[in-house]
Amino acid sequence: MDTMSEARRQTGLVEAENRRKMLDLCWEFRARLEQLQPGLSLVDYTYAQALKSFLLKARGI
């Protein structure tokens, strides 16, 4: 029983760490998109905005 509890705890820790890493990547990507936006065409700008919104919603931000 202790082994199962430890496995669940470890799994929870790994999932939390992976979620944190994904959020960090999403924020970094969003920041880079914002830096690039002034040089983008209207179509690319619209796509970048949609992608940023998707990333934020997908991660519950």
Side-chain angles (χ1 to χ4, degrees):
M1 194 69 151
D2 287 336
T3 304
M4 192 63 137
S5 295
E6 181 62 21
R8 284 187 192 131
R9 187 183 75 75
Q10 287 294 330
T11 299
L13 290 174
V14 169
E15 288 175 352
E17 179 65 14
N18 287 341
R19 185 177 194 291
R20 185 196 60 78
K21 287 178 182 178
M22 181 59 74
L23 285 173
D24 289 348
L25 287 172
C26 286
W27 281 110
E28 182 180 334
F29 186 64
R30 183 175 185 259
R32 288 186 185 191
L33 280 176
E34 287 177 355
Q35 290 173 351
L36 295 173
Q37 280 181 349
L40 297 178
S41 69
L42 180 58
V43 171
D44 289 336
Y45 178 84
T46 303
Y47 176 75
Q49 287 295 101
L51 184 56
K52 284 191 322 188
S53 295
F54 171 78
L55 288 172
L56 295 174
K57 287 178 185 174
R59 289 291 138 207
I61 299 171

